Amino acid sequence: MNDSYLPPLNDLRFVLDDVLDYGRLFSLPAFEHADVELADVVLAESARFAAGVLAPLNATGDEQGSRLENGRVVTPPGFRDAYWHYVEAGWPGLDMPQEFGGQALPVTLQAACAEMVNGACVAFGMLPLMERAATRLLVAHAPKGLVDVVAPSLATGRWGATICISEAQAGSDVGRIATRAERQSDGGYCVTGTKIFITYGDQDFTEQIIHMVLARIPGSPPGTRGLSLFLVPARALQANGTPGASNGVTVTRVEHKMGLKASPTCVVNFDGAQAYLVGQENAGLKAMFTMVNTMRLEVAMQGVAVAGAATAKALRYALERPQGGRADAPAVAIVEHADVRRMLYLMRARTEAMRALVLEAALQLDLAQAGPEAPRADALALAEWLLPVCKACGSDAGFEVANLAVQVFGGHGYVADAGVEQYVRDSRVMSIYEGANGIQALDLVMRKLPQDNGKRYSLFAARIRADLDRNSGCAELREIRDAVVDGLLRLDACTDAIAQRVANVSRDAEAGASAYLALVGLVAGGWMWLRMAAAASGDSPLHEVKRALARFYAEYLMPEALTLQRRALLGAASLDTLDAETLTGGR
Amino acid sequence: MNDSYLPPLNDLRFVLDDVLDYGRLFSLPAFEHADVELADVVLAESARFAAGVLAPLNATGDEQGSRLENGRVVTPPGFRDAYWHYVEAGWPGLDMPQEFGGQALPVTLQAACAEMVNGACVAFGMLPLMERAATRLLVAHAPKGLVDVVAPSLATGRWGATICISEAQAGSDVGRIATRAERQSDGGYCVTGTKIFITYGDQDFTEQIIHMVLARIPGSPPGTRGLSLFLVPARALQANGTPGASNGVTVTRVEHKMGLKASPTCVVNFDGAQAYLVGQENAGLKAMFTMVNTMRLEVAMQGVAVAGAATAKALRYALERPQGGRADAPAVAIVEHADVRRMLYLMRARTEAMRALVLEAALQLDLAQAGPEAPRADALALAEWLLPVCKACGSDAGFEVANLAVQVFGGHGYVADAGVEQYVRDSRVMSIYEGANGIQALDLVMRKLPQDNGKRYSLFAARIRADLDRNSGCAELREIRDAVVDGLLRLDACTDAIAQRVANVSRDAEAGASAYLALVGLVAGGWMWLRMAAAASGDSPLHEVKRALARFYAEYLMPEALTLQRRALLGAASLDTLDAETLTGGR
């Protein structure tokens, strides 16, 4: 049981086809080389690959972990073969440009496939993610000569990649990065410093690893405005593109983590490593933002992936596990107990809301990039609004749902064999990495909300209102519609109040930021359920489930808005009653 | 850092002395051999032992775990020595009868010490817990001859003990236990069957282990009414009390768990093992209930313990970790950031509410046992009401707060070195074992609430109202007092509705049981904060903190009542919309 994975193909198809109508993407010039039938084949193949090749690695990867041996990372048995299988099947380049060997398919399709890859083995999925993010960075900002040498190998997964940001003294506070990049007489650069928490900082899959490194050129301004972005190859780049001599990049440590053990989290040391500037000097952080959307979307999908995988196992267990009922009769399946049902409904309702929301965000990214010219700005604004919400709520949902799966399994869930406790451990980091969820909340409240006179929120609320209007007559949708109406009113009120605070007493806005983000995510989830229920008007069991879950979301989950609203408006006063020493000290 | 433990001595003293006035226990005949000064020495010694002897074992115990070797359990290095140190210092018998070598001190004091033992190393604390529970069982139900042979060794920790309930097909559904107990011609019994999830089912500390086993005598009625309780020694009991030959009890497996790895969770096989009936035939489950209060109280305290330990580490880290602030100035400590403060306040407010509540429940147990005759029944009724609430909310708080600690540490928290991710893994099982939290909710709603015409709830609410009346004039207490008034009104309304459902449509009551329990816990926590704030009228930093946390509990935590009230009253209709196959199947 612990190495099985049931890809949620039908649920994905329902969202993509019936809720989002993503087929329209294939009439756009950027995607007209494909069509919805091809996309469905890709989806089905991804499911087969995830379940057949990746899922069997998940438990053993966790058990054995990646480790450091003689200065090199050794990954668990089977990972290297699976990786090359993945590369040869062309998966790394799914949404990468065709000129670099990619297939230029929509981000939306890539996101759906990413759910299945990560649902089967999230530790595996980390490396392709870094490769996609690095390719995007290079294509957007690197000189053409460099792109031509690197991108074809990176976009197709023949080379690995890392994103090197954190240092011991610079976590969320990126501006304190101290890694130095010295200009050389030949116009190149030379990077020296130590980066921590580097995912797949080394591996035994590829002959070359491209590190994308934030560093500081001596004499640059302090803070984030003095950071530059560099490409640092693990082995020197030769003119013909083949990897040359070792380039002063060494892994000195692989962290012993709570989960994601097969994904090596490394301390990477750069010692005068040959480096190529990407973008302008001191514009490194801005360049890095190119990959932020890719990363946030993927982490959100990792959360959905773990939630979906955990839910599938819990549903099967609940149907098969007899326990309880009359003493003189055979035990009933635990799915019949009200409290178990409550957990299963909750798991499905939360997971499927987030799945739809993340795919909606992906669709907006596609439309912003390749959609009809006029609405592109709106699509981008909506995507930018949704992404911190997806990242934070998706990661939180992954952890919450994984924990509920353990609870459904009871004592058996606490034991490794059931394969559910790993989901809890693997998903725990998702609310931390790629911008901790508290940072996402600040991004939403302090940047996304006030910029452009609140345009992004207005757009978001207007989309929801349009869907409320569109479905105002349908009795079947009453519960979810009423709940979204109520939630949106509360959210409107919160948004006004928070926006004023951002302008006036920003610490009050900061104090409520996490709750505000959670409220946005909750209402957005309700919006998704309204759309899913509206699309599920048929008699099939799938449609019946969607309508039932929409009602449950309305009745059980939407009341969280009552608490979140109060918390979002709490303000800093009750957090600033104590000085730091009194709050923490004398202990 | 990861093997440090800061015992919350001052916080414990504040609750015991200033809030609960537990000194009054020592004027009772049962405890007049002690006094509050002695108790305070015990408390301080327990803190020293926990921090000095147990805390250094916590991380290595987790790393190395207990394992099975040649049919015997091998515990991690250092555990055996620490155990005998614990025994020789007299800790196992703290609240055990003096006639068996115990010290007959209050359960309240034992509970306070248990926080520190479990805060330092919860995997260690499991074995003494089993010994105390088994001793209580025997003293209450076993024949005097048997008690005289076993209790002196058990109560002092010279022998180990286990509680053997679960079987593969009988988890929460205890009535399906199939282990057989055959009557022998000599009047004894012979037990055959396989028990799972047996904590310290074997260990390398003691020469004898006493298993308390629920089994079924052939011909007994089905279900829980056909269960009998047996004492099964690992080695035969000789007349002189020394352990004799091996008794057909073998450990066949030690589970590979998410956490609590030093505490061996065993599959124990009984193969015609010599057994002694404890209590009457077919009255085993009722006898077993004697230990339920001991177990629930301790698991609740385990949750508080982990929450307290995690909070202490997070507070220190937040004060010492510089990150953020103006780029041209040194970084500020993260304790200054609003969202970090929100987490720290939340951790403290939740932890300290539960600490006070669990100690209040312990005090009521002492009063029920040893208090003035007239109010004993009320004390018992209040304790019985509080215990499922403490068990569920205490375990949930442990996990919630441990997770917040990881979040405060950020990426560093996900790495083992910081010593906080272990708290998440260790505490995850607390909401499952000793009666899953869903079972606690059913106990509260389906038994504790309706029995005696709702006497227990009335008593609980009356105590809260008395404290509200007592503190009605104080402006400093306004926030917490208003919040408790509001919470109690909501709880009253829920209670009436749920009580009617129990009588009429019990499935509707079951559907809301978990939320109802959480609401009781939330309001009870508010009650504790009202009392703590009222007791904290001085100028000391400790008192200042208590008043600030009471306000935070009122403003940030009490609004959870809004959501919980809606959920408690949801009813089964929205959970029973789908049949089992449609909900779970076709997947």
Side-chain angles (χ1 to χ4, degrees):
Chain A
M1 175 132 186
N2 67 348
D3 63 359
S4 73
Y5 173 61
L6 286 169
L9 257 186
N10 290 336
D11 291 330
L12 278 168
R13 282 179 179 134
F14 171 72
V15 174
L16 292 171
D17 295 330
D18 302 336
V19 181
L20 302 181
D21 184 22
Y22 90 134
R24 63 192 148 129
L25 289 175
F26 301 102
S27 60
L28 299 172
F31 303 122
E32 63 187 6
H33 61 286
D35 57 31
V36 78
E37 286 73 28
L38 172 77
D40 196 67
V41 171
V42 169
L43 215 57
E45 270 306 301
S46 180
R48 238 164 53 95
F49 187 87
V53 178
L54 299 180
L57 300 176
N58 199 39
T60 55
D62 177 61
E63 240 173 81
Q64 310 205 14
S66 281
R67 62 185 198 284
L68 196 62
E69 220 175 271
N70 303 320
R72 292 301 304 268
V73 167
V74 179
T75 59
F79 274 68
R80 187 191 157 91
D81 285 352
Y83 182 76
W84 284 107
H85 193 155
Y86 183 83
V87 168
E88 277 149 26
W91 293 113
L94 196 72
D95 62 338
M96 293 288 112
Q98 285 178 314
E99 59 182 307
F100 304 122
Q103 285 142 71
L105 289 166
V107 168
T108 311
L109 181 61
Q110 157 59 32
C113 294
E115 170 170 358
M116 297 187 279
V117 167
N118 287 306
C121 184
V122 63
F124 178 92
M126 297 297 286
L127 182 57
L129 165 59
M130 297 301 142
E131 293 161 1
R132 286 203 311 280
T135 305
R136 281 191 194 283
L137 261 180
L138 289 172
V139 170
H141 301 287
K144 185 168 181 322
L146 190 60
V147 174
D148 286 344
V149 172
V150 176
S153 295
L154 214 51
T156 54
R158 288 201 304 279
W159 290 356
T162 78
I163 309 289
C164 297
I165 303 178
S166 294
E167 300 177 10
Q169 77 295 344
S172 295
D173 191 359
V174 182
R176 295 191 196 268
I177 283 175
T179 292
R180 278 175 303 117
E182 315 262 4
R183 271 187 220 97
Q184 304 299 104
S185 53
D186 64 355
Y189 296 79
C190 201
V191 164
T192 300
T194 301
K195 295 287 182 177
I196 66 170
F197 298 150
I198 307 308
T199 298
Y200 279 96
D202 186 28
Q203 27 82 3
D204 47 11
F205 305 162
T206 62
E207 55 175 3
Q208 175 68 291
I209 299 175
I210 298 300
H211 302 283
M212 303 302 301
V213 182
L214 277 184
R216 189 178 296 284
I217 297 168
S220 297
T224 53
R225 296 150 54 110
L227 297 177
S228 305
L229 178 62
F230 296 91
L231 181 158
V232 184
R235 294 169 63 185
L237 285 184
Q238 303 193 122
N240 66 358
T242 58
S246 166
N247 185 31
V249 183
T250 46
V251 168
T252 56
R253 184 183 161 91
V254 171
E255 303 293 351
H256 178 49
K257 307 193 301 294
M258 183 185 194
L260 280 191
K261 292 182 188 225
S263 163
T265 300
C266 304
V267 174
V268 178
N269 195 56
F270 296 91
D271 186 11
Q274 173 198 12
Y276 303 85
L277 181 68
V278 174
Q280 302 299 308
E281 287 192 354
N282 296 337
L285 191 67
K286 206 170 155 236
M288 203 59 123
F289 273 118
T290 305
M291 59 133 223
V292 160
N293 290 348
T294 306
M295 304 293 273
R296 286 186 182 167
L297 190 76
E298 178 98 357
V299 175
M301 209 31 133
Q302 289 177 346
V304 171
V306 167
T311 300
K313 281 191 183 165
L315 288 170
R316 191 165 56 174
Y317 186 78
L319 189 65
E320 290 173 0
R321 168 74 174 166
Q323 196 75 178
R326 285 176 49 182
D328 56 358
V332 300
I334 61 170
V335 66
E336 302 298 352
H337 300 313
D339 197 60
V340 173
R341 283 201 161 223
R342 178 187 64 79
M343 294 191 277
L344 296 174
Y345 272 73
L346 169 49
M347 294 166 77
R348 288 200 68 166
R350 190 81 90 186
T351 302
E352 298 187 25
M354 283 312 304
R355 175 183 292 134
L357 189 64
V358 177
L359 291 173
E360 165 76 28
L363 183 73
Q364 297 302 325
L365 283 177
D366 278 323
L367 292 173
Q369 204 67 40
E373 200 61 52
R376 276 193 192 183
D378 281 3
L380 184 62
L382 189 56
E384 285 173 342
W385 175 256
L386 290 178
L387 280 165
V389 178
C390 285
K391 193 280 176 182
C393 296
S395 56
D396 284 346
F399 187 68
E400 177 192 11
V401 171
N403 270 303
L404 284 164
V406 170
Q407 199 69 20
V408 168
F409 274 77
H412 298 278
Y414 195 61
V415 173
D417 307 13
V420 290
E421 61 86 28
Q422 186 187 344
Y423 294 136
V424 176
R425 290 184 291 103
D426 284 354
S427 63
R428 183 60 190 85
V429 74
M430 295 172 190
S431 61
I432 296 172
Y433 63 20
E434 312 312 339
N437 286 1
I439 301 290
Q440 303 298 325
L442 290 181
D443 175 54
L444 185 73
V445 162
M446 308 303 282
R447 281 197 287 267
K448 300 292 169 61
L449 182 59
Q451 284 170 358
D452 297 332
N453 291 315
K455 171 189 170 176
R456 294 195 191 89
Y457 178 77
S458 304
L459 205 58
F460 168 71
R463 292 285 167 98
I464 300 179
R465 290 216 155 77
D467 282 315
L468 287 169
D469 291 345
R470 193 168 298 130
N471 296 292
S472 61
C474 180
E476 272 264 39
L477 302 176
R478 194 174 48 79
E479 287 95 350
I480 183 65
R481 198 182 167 283
D482 288 355
V484 174
V485 167
D486 176 77
L488 189 57
L489 286 174
R490 291 176 193 278
L491 183 58
D492 280 341
C494 267
T495 303
D496 284 345
I498 297 251
Q500 282 187 20
R501 289 173 177 194
V502 172
N504 301 314
V505 191
S506 68
R507 194 164 169 88
D508 278 336
E510 289 170 22
S514 284
Y516 178 76
L517 182 147
L519 182 58
V520 175
L522 181 72
V523 173
W527 173 35
M528 291 299 121
W529 272 117
L530 174 67
R531 292 167 62 180
M532 288 193 274
S537 55
D539 293 332
S540 67
L542 185 116
H543 280 193
E544 196 191 337
V545 167
K546 302 304 176 195
R547 293 195 303 270
L549 293 175
R551 177 178 162 189
F552 179 82
Y553 193 94
E555 294 180 335
Y556 190 88
L557 283 164
M558 284 301 296
E560 289 176 352
L562 301 166
T563 304
L564 291 172
Q565 182 180 21
R566 295 271 286 267
R567 288 184 175 172
L569 299 177
L570 184 59
S574 66
L575 296 174
D576 288 338
T577 40
L578 300 169
D579 62 34
E581 286 67 30
T582 308
L583 172 60
T584 62
R587 298 174 66 82
Chain B
M1 176 133 187
N2 68 347
D3 63 358
S4 72
Y5 173 61
L6 287 169
L9 257 186
N10 290 336
D11 291 330
L12 278 167
R13 283 180 178 132
F14 171 72
V15 174
L16 292 170
D17 294 331
D18 302 336
V19 180
L20 301 181
D21 184 23
Y22 91 135
R24 62 193 147 125
L25 288 175
F26 301 101
S27 61
L28 299 172
F31 303 122
E32 64 186 5
H33 61 285
D35 56 31
V36 78
E37 286 75 27
L38 172 78
D40 196 65
V41 171
V42 169
L43 215 55
E45 271 305 303
S46 180
R48 238 164 53 94
F49 187 88
V53 178
L54 299 180
L57 300 177
N58 199 40
T60 54
D62 177 60
E63 241 172 80
Q64 310 206 13
S66 282
R67 62 186 198 283
L68 196 62
E69 218 174 273
N70 303 321
R72 292 301 305 268
V73 167
V74 179
T75 59
F79 274 68
R80 186 191 157 91
D81 285 353
Y83 181 77
W84 285 107
H85 193 156
Y86 184 83
V87 169
E88 277 149 26
W91 293 114
L94 196 74
D95 62 338
M96 293 287 113
Q98 286 177 314
E99 60 182 307
F100 304 122
Q103 285 142 71
L105 289 166
V107 168
T108 311
L109 181 61
Q110 156 59 33
C113 294
E115 169 170 0
M116 296 187 280
V117 167
N118 288 305
C121 185
V122 63
F124 178 92
M126 297 297 287
L127 182 57
L129 165 61
M130 296 301 142
E131 293 161 1
R132 289 203 310 281
T135 305
R136 282 192 192 282
L137 260 181
L138 289 171
V139 169
H141 301 287
K144 185 170 181 320
L146 190 61
V147 174
D148 287 345
V149 173
V150 175
S153 296
L154 213 51
T156 55
R158 289 200 303 279
W159 289 356
T162 78
I163 309 290
C164 298
I165 302 178
S166 293
E167 300 178 9
Q169 77 295 343
S172 294
D173 190 359
V174 182
R176 295 190 196 269
I177 282 175
T179 292
R180 278 175 303 115
E182 315 262 2
R183 272 186 219 97
Q184 305 299 102
S185 53
D186 65 356
Y189 295 80
C190 202
V191 163
T192 300
T194 301
K195 295 287 183 178
I196 66 171
F197 298 150
I198 307 309
T199 298
Y200 279 96
D202 187 28
Q203 26 82 2
D204 48 10
F205 305 161
T206 62
E207 56 175 2
Q208 175 68 290
I209 298 174
I210 299 300
H211 302 283
M212 304 301 302
V213 182
L214 276 184
R216 190 177 296 284
I217 297 168
S220 296
T224 53
R225 297 149 55 110
L227 297 176
S228 304
L229 178 62
F230 297 91
L231 182 159
V232 184
R235 294 169 61 185
L237 285 184
Q238 302 192 124
N240 66 357
T242 58
S246 165
N247 185 31
V249 184
T250 46
V251 168
T252 56
R253 184 184 162 90
V254 171
E255 303 293 351
H256 178 48
K257 306 193 302 293
M258 182 186 194
L260 279 190
K261 293 183 188 224
S263 162
T265 299
C266 304
V267 174
V268 179
N269 195 55
F270 297 91
D271 185 11
Q274 173 199 11
Y276 303 85
L277 182 68
V278 173
Q280 302 299 308
E281 287 191 354
N282 296 337
L285 191 68
K286 208 168 154 237
M288 203 58 123
F289 273 117
T290 304
M291 58 132 224
V292 161
N293 289 350
T294 305
M295 305 291 274
R296 286 186 182 168
L297 189 75
E298 178 98 358
V299 175
M301 210 30 134
Q302 289 177 345
V304 171
V306 167
T311 300
K313 282 191 182 167
L315 289 171
R316 192 166 54 173
Y317 185 78
L319 190 64
E320 292 173 357
R321 167 75 173 165
Q323 197 75 179
R326 284 176 48 182
D328 56 357
V332 300
I334 61 170
V335 65
E336 302 298 351
H337 300 312
D339 196 60
V340 173
R341 283 203 161 220
R342 178 187 66 79
M343 293 192 277
L344 296 174
Y345 271 74
L346 169 50
M347 293 166 77
R348 288 199 68 165
R350 190 81 89 186
T351 302
E352 298 186 26
M354 283 312 305
R355 175 183 292 133
L357 189 64
V358 176
L359 290 173
E360 165 75 28
L363 184 74
Q364 296 303 325
L365 284 177
D366 278 325
L367 292 172
Q369 204 67 41
E373 200 63 49
R376 276 193 192 182
D378 281 2
L380 184 62
L382 189 56
E384 286 173 340
W385 175 257
L386 290 178
L387 280 165
V389 177
C390 286
K391 193 280 176 183
C393 296
S395 56
D396 284 344
F399 186 69
E400 177 193 11
V401 171
N403 270 303
L404 285 164
V406 170
Q407 199 69 20
V408 169
F409 274 76
H412 299 279
Y414 195 61
V415 173
D417 306 15
V420 290
E421 60 87 27
Q422 186 187 344
Y423 293 136
V424 176
R425 290 184 291 103
D426 284 354
S427 63
R428 182 60 191 85
V429 73
M430 295 171 189
S431 61
I432 296 172
Y433 63 20
E434 311 314 339
N437 286 1
I439 301 290
Q440 304 296 326
L442 290 181
D443 176 53
L444 185 74
V445 163
M446 307 303 283
R447 282 197 287 266
K448 299 292 168 62
L449 183 60
Q451 283 169 0
D452 297 333
N453 290 315
K455 171 188 170 176
R456 294 194 190 90
Y457 178 78
S458 306
L459 205 58
F460 168 72
R463 292 285 166 98
I464 299 179
R465 291 217 154 75
D467 283 314
L468 287 169
D469 290 346
R470 193 169 296 131
N471 296 293
S472 60
C474 181
E476 273 262 41
L477 301 177
R478 194 174 48 81
E479 287 95 351
I480 183 65
R481 197 181 168 282
D482 288 354
V484 174
V485 167
D486 176 76
L488 189 56
L489 285 175
R490 291 176 193 278
L491 183 59
D492 280 342
C494 267
T495 304
D496 283 347
I498 297 248
Q500 283 186 20
R501 289 174 177 192
V502 173
N504 300 315
V505 191
S506 67
R507 192 163 172 89
D508 279 335
E510 289 170 21
S514 285
Y516 178 76
L517 181 147
L519 182 59
V520 174
L522 181 73
V523 173
W527 174 36
M528 291 299 120
W529 272 118
L530 174 67
R531 292 167 63 180
M532 287 193 274
S537 54
D539 293 331
S540 67
L542 186 115
H543 280 193
E544 197 191 336
V545 168
K546 301 304 177 195
R547 292 195 302 270
L549 293 175
R551 177 178 160 188
F552 179 83
Y553 193 94
E555 294 180 336
Y556 190 89
L557 283 164
M558 284 301 295
E560 289 177 352
L562 300 166
T563 304
L564 292 173
Q565 182 182 20
R566 295 271 288 267
R567 288 185 175 170
L569 298 177
L570 184 60
S574 65
L575 296 174
D576 288 338
T577 40
L578 299 169
D579 62 35
E581 285 68 28
T582 307
L583 172 60
T584 62
R587 297 175 67 82

